């Protein structure tokens, strides 16, 4: 039987981070396996037949770690020829207008009655919060405690239901950190009186993106830094025998290991360990990614991504994906036929291929048992939503359509999550299994690409030397104030 001292399952950011660290330590006996044909995992990029690129969600590069920055620069290169640098231009579309992000800092853009409701709610929340000494029991209570009933009803509840596909009262609030902006009551009132907007909040106010190849190009190039003979693709793990340390693959082959780093979703791993009781307490949502390529000039200037809390469209977020990188759309000299107009009822009478220029939009839709989605109609619903929300016109020419459903989209920070992790992760580690990554460890608060990669790096240091895994187990400190970790270096 084939044997390796360390086996890594999954060639996404976490698995590749682990492999890079093993290679950096000159550790010899390891193997990386993945069910897909190439590296990337959930950070991959697809390309349509017409040449439009689409990521599996709104991925951008901003980092809490020098190590991560140095790694991807070593893989991709540096400079404007490799990276586009963007200032985040982000809005919430509601009430038939754009409101600068984050919403809670910019209620001055709302109609007057909504401003009054939001301010009253904020003041009431501040008073209530001052006289209570109990922490909120769930995300919904946190919203009310921090922002009040007005902002909760107008934006936070409907938007977060569209994102998470689960009611806010069934979510915990320990994950929030830099993920959700709080509301400074005095500042909000001052902004209303001065009719002033603020948009610089958050760690991703400035971000970068590959000029060519989408997010997936980063991770394919990271994999190129590793020995090819230690990477095995099109190899899906179908079971783990945790007592005998044996993996079974979809082709019937088996691999024995001493230590295992797995990015397989934790609930699947737990079921393989005959622990359905723990697995059933974890929750996740699925994602539907819809992309459209259009002929013409992008009408949205420098807008990056946009949020949609209202019911006139199925998506919660839209990204102007053509804005991110030169290679995200075909060259304007490429000729393509019109597939359909924005309004499907308009007849396409000319199948002639015509040159560009081109631009593109990418939409994200969530699904769960609480929020079902019809995969047969979601593309048409999304395009109609784009017309409803004034992203496109009825007469716009669509030259490419992309659609993909991801069973595992978001790990839900449900009320039971931390109790499950506190039991499941040590139990697996006692069997020499490090379950890590976006779904391997189920911590959304440290599930960005930089976090995920460094969770793999730190897991290897723990496996080899017993050092603490800072990112996974201290997420609030990891994200605190947007400070960058400069202690660990990719280059010696």
């Amino acid at each position: 039987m084939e044997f390796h001292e360390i086996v890594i399952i999954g060639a996404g950011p976490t698995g590749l981070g682990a492999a890079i660290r093993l290679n950096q330590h000159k550790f010899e006996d390891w193997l990386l396996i993945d069910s897909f044909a190439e590296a990337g995992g959930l950070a991959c990029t697809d390309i349509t037949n017409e040449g439009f690129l689409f990521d599996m969600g709104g991925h951008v590069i901003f980092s809490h770690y020098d190590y991560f920055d140095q790694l991807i620069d070593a893989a991709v290169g540096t400079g404007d020829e490799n990276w586009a640098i963007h200032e985040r231009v982000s809005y919430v579309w509601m009430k038939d207008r754009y409101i600068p992000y984050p919403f809670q800092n910019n209620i001055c853009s709302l109609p007057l009655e909504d401003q009054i409701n939001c301010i009253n709610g904020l003041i009431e929340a501040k008073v209530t919060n001052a006289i209570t000494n109990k922490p909120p029991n769930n995300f919904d209570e946190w919203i009310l405690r921090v922002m009040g009933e007005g902002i909760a009803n107008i934006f936070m509840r409907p938007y977060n239901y569209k994102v998470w596909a689960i009611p806010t009262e069934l979510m915990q609030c320990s994950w929030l950190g830099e993920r959700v902006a709080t509301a400074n009551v005095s500042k909000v009132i001052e902004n209303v009186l001065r009719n002033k907007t603020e948009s610089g909040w958050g760690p991703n106010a400035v971000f970068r993106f590959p000029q060519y190849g989408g997010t997936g190009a980063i991770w394919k190039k990271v994999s190129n830094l590793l020995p090819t003979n230690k990477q095995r693709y099109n190899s899906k793990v179908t079971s783990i025998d945790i007592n005998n340390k044996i993996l079974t693959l979809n082709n019937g082959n088996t691999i024995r290991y001493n230590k295992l780093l797995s990015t397989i979703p934790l609930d699947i791993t737990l079921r393989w360990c005959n622990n359905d009781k723990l697995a059933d307490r974890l929750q996740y949502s699925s994602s539907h990614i819809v992309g459209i390529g259009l002929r013409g000039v992008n009408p949205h200037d420098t807008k990056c991504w946009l949020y949609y809390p209202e019911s006139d469209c199925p998506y919660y977020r839209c990204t102007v994906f053509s804005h991110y990188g030169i290679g995200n759309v075909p060259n304007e000299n490429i000729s393509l036929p019109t597939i359909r107009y924005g309004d499907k009822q308009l007849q396409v009478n000319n199948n002639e291929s015509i040159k560009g220029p081109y631009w593109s939009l990418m939409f994200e839709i969530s699904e769960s048992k609480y929020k079902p989605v019809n995969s047969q109609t979601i593309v048409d619903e999304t395009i109609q939503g784009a017309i409803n929300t004034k992203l496109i016109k009825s007469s716009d020419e669509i030259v490419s359509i992309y659609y993909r459903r991801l069973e595992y989209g978001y790990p839900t920070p449900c009320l039971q999550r931390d109790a499950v992790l506190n039991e499941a992760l040590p139990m697996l580690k006692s069997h020499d299994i490090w379950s890590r990554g976006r779904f391997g460890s189920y911590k959304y608060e440290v599930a960005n690409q930089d976090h995920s990669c460094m969770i793999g790096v730190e897991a290897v240091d723990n496996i080899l030397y017993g050092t603490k895994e800072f990112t996974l187990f201290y997420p609030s400190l990891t994200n605190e104030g947007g400070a960058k970790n400069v202690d660990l270096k990719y280059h010696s």
Side-chain angles (χ1 to χ4, degrees), residues 397-448:
E397 298 177 55
I398 297 175
V399 299
S400 186
I401 297 176
Y402 172 81
Y403 172 67
R404 182 171 174 179
R405 181 185 182 275
L406 305 172
E407 173 63 23
Y408 283 85
Y410 277 64
T412 306
C414 61
L415 295 173
Q416 306 90 350
R417 184 200 69 173
D418 288 354
V420 173
L421 297 183
N422 289 340
E423 183 175 349
L425 297 184
M427 180 274 290
L428 291 171
K429 190 175 177 181
S430 72
H431 290 276
D432 289 325
I433 298 174
W434 280 253
S435 185
R436 301 292 184 265
R438 182 179 178 91
F439 279 99
S441 43
Y442 254 82
K443 284 194 175 181
Y444 171 75
E445 57 268 42
V446 281
N448 285 340

Side-chain angles (χ1 to χ4, degrees), residues 315-454:
Y315 44 87
Y316 60 86
R317 180 166 58 187
C318 174
T319 298
V320 186
F321 204 60
S322 53
H323 175 57
Y324 280 13
I326 296 169
N328 285 355
V329 296
N331 186 281
E332 63 180 13
N333 292 322
I334 300 295
S335 295
L336 295 171
T338 299
I339 294 175
R340 58 167 283 185
Y341 292 104
D343 184 348
K344 199 174 185 180
Q345 301 305 313
L346 296 177
Q347 189 73 26
V348 178
N349 296 316
N350 187 354
N351 291 324
E352 179 186 355
S353 292
I354 304 171
K355 291 183 180 181
Y358 302 103
W359 62 288
S360 63
L361 296 171
M362 180 184 67
F363 306 88
E364 299 166 78
I365 302 100
S366 65
E367 176 194 350
S368 74
K369 64 182 180 181
Y370 304 100
K371 182 177 172 288
V373 172
N374 186 337
S375 60
Q376 302 302 311
T377 61
I378 190 59
V379 171
D380 284 344
E381 292 169 14
T382 296
I383 294 174
Q384 183 58 51
I387 296 172
N388 296 344
T389 57
K390 301 183 180 179
L391 282 166
I392 67 172
K393 300 191 295 291
S394 297
S395 58
D396 279 345
E397 298 177 55
I398 297 175
V399 299
S400 186
I401 297 176
Y402 172 81
Y403 172 67
R404 182 171 174 179
R405 181 185 182 275
L406 305 172
E407 173 63 23
Y408 283 85
Y410 277 64
T412 306
C414 61
L415 295 173
Q416 306 90 350
R417 184 200 69 173
D418 288 354
V420 173
L421 297 183
N422 289 340
E423 183 175 349
L425 297 184
M427 180 274 290
L428 291 171
K429 190 175 177 181
S430 72
H431 290 276
D432 289 325
I433 298 174
W434 280 253
S435 185
R436 301 292 184 265
R438 182 179 178 91
F439 279 99
S441 43
Y442 254 82
K443 284 194 175 181
Y444 171 75
E445 57 268 42
V446 281
N448 285 340
Q449 293 177 82
D450 62 329
H451 295 129
S452 297
C453 178
M454 294 307 297

Side-chain angles (χ1 to χ4, degrees), residues 16-25 63-74 450 453-454 456-458 461 484-492:
L16 289 170
I20 284 288
R21 192 61 168 166
L22 286 168
N23 201 51
Q24 192 179 25
H25 284 312
S63 169
H64 300 79
Y65 310 88
D66 272 357
Y67 185 104
F68 178 80
D69 294 335
Q70 292 164 2
L71 169 60
I72 62 173
D73 281 346
D450 62 329
C453 178
M454 294 307 297
V457 169
E458 293 172 9
D461 285 353
K484 184 162 287 196
N485 184 318
V486 298
D487 295 330
L488 200 61
K489 306 292 184 184
Y490 175 67
H491 300 301
S492 59

Side-chain angles (χ1 to χ4, degrees), residues 95-109:
K95 308 283 183 179
D96 204 33
R97 67 190 71 191
Y98 282 117
I99 298 167
Y101 168 87
F103 173 88
Q104 46 270 44
N105 290 349
N106 293 294
I107 63 173
C108 61
S109 300

Side-chain angles (χ1 to χ4, degrees), residues 23-320:
N23 201 51
Q24 192 179 25
H25 284 312
K26 297 181 171 55
F27 189 90
E28 289 298 326
D29 190 12
W30 60 270
L31 178 69
L32 172 68
I33 57 179
D34 194 279
S35 61
F36 293 123
E38 59 185 5
L42 288 175
C44 68
T45 300
D46 284 347
I47 182 168
T48 68
N49 292 333
E50 297 80 18
F52 288 83
L53 274 63
F54 293 104
D55 280 359
M56 300 303 104
H59 303 309
V60 297
I61 294 294
F62 59 96
S63 169
H64 300 79
Y65 310 88
D66 272 357
Y67 185 104
F68 178 80
D69 294 335
Q70 292 164 2
L71 169 60
I72 62 173
D73 281 346
V76 177
T78 58
D80 294 344
E81 67 272 23
N82 293 304
W83 297 98
I85 309 297
H86 298 288
E87 288 188 20
R88 181 192 67 214
V89 180
S90 185
Y91 292 89
V92 177
W93 174 264
M94 61 183 298
K95 308 283 183 179
D96 204 33
R97 67 190 71 191
Y98 282 117
I99 298 167
Y101 168 87
F103 173 88
Q104 46 270 44
N105 290 349
N106 293 294
I107 63 173
C108 61
S109 300
L110 289 168
L112 180 59
E113 286 302 315
D114 289 325
Q115 291 184 38
I116 293 169
N117 288 335
C118 289
I119 289 173
N120 285 340
L122 280 165
I123 293 170
E124 291 168 5
K126 184 159 187 166
V127 171
T128 301
N129 210 27
I131 60 177
T132 185
N133 54 11
K134 292 182 179 180
N137 291 314
N138 55 55
F139 185 30
D140 197 74
E141 286 189 14
W142 182 91
I143 292 169
L144 293 173
R145 189 83 62 85
V146 173
M147 300 181 196
E149 198 79 42
I151 292 176
N153 290 335
I154 291 172
F155 177 67
M156 291 296 289
R157 281 172 173 154
Y159 177 71
N160 279 286
Y161 181 71
K162 286 185 82 173
V163 175
W164 294 102
I166 185 174
T168 48
E169 60 266 23
L170 299 182
M171 296 173 64
Q172 54 148 292
C173 51
S174 67
W175 60 277
L176 293 164
E178 63 179 21
R179 293 289 189 171
V180 179
T182 57
N184 182 319
V185 179
S186 300
K187 194 68 176 174
V188 169
I189 295 174
E190 179 186 344
N191 288 348
V192 168
L193 293 173
R194 295 181 183 276
N195 195 28
K196 175 187 174 186
T197 59
E198 289 189 357
S199 57
W201 178 86
N204 57 8
V206 176
F207 65 91
R208 56 178 172 155
F209 196 88
Q211 290 282 22
Y212 300 95
T215 295
I218 300 171
W219 301 105
K220 286 190 280 189
K221 290 178 179 179
V222 168
S223 73
N224 290 340
L225 300 174
L226 296 165
T228 56
N229 65 321
K230 294 185 179 182
Q231 301 176 68
R232 191 174 301 171
Y233 296 96
N234 295 308
S235 298
K236 183 177 182 179
V237 175
T238 56
S239 68
I240 303 173
D241 179 342
I242 65 170
N243 295 313
N244 294 305
K245 298 186 176 182
I246 296 173
L247 306 176
T248 300
L249 307 182
N250 56 342
N251 61 4
N253 291 346
T254 55
I255 301 173
R256 195 162 57 85
Y257 61 87
N258 188 28
K259 311 284 187 183
L260 178 66
L261 191 152
S262 171
T263 66
I264 290 172
L266 178 59
D267 54 301
I268 293 176
T269 302
L270 289 171
R271 295 191 197 284
W272 286 347
C273 299
N274 297 314
N275 202 327
D276 289 1
K277 185 176 179 181
L278 273 182
D280 288 341
R281 293 167 63 193
L282 292 170
Q283 296 190 51
Y284 66 89
S285 62
S286 302
S287 292
H288 297 255
I289 310 299
V290 176
I292 56 173
L294 302 107
R295 192 186 335 272
V297 176
N298 168 26
H300 299 294
D301 300 317
T302 58
K303 290 185 179 70
C304 299
W305 63 87
L306 309 162
Y307 301 102
Y308 294 87
E310 296 179 325
S311 60
D312 57 352
C313 64
Y315 44 87
Y316 60 86
R317 180 166 58 187
C318 174
T319 298
V320 186

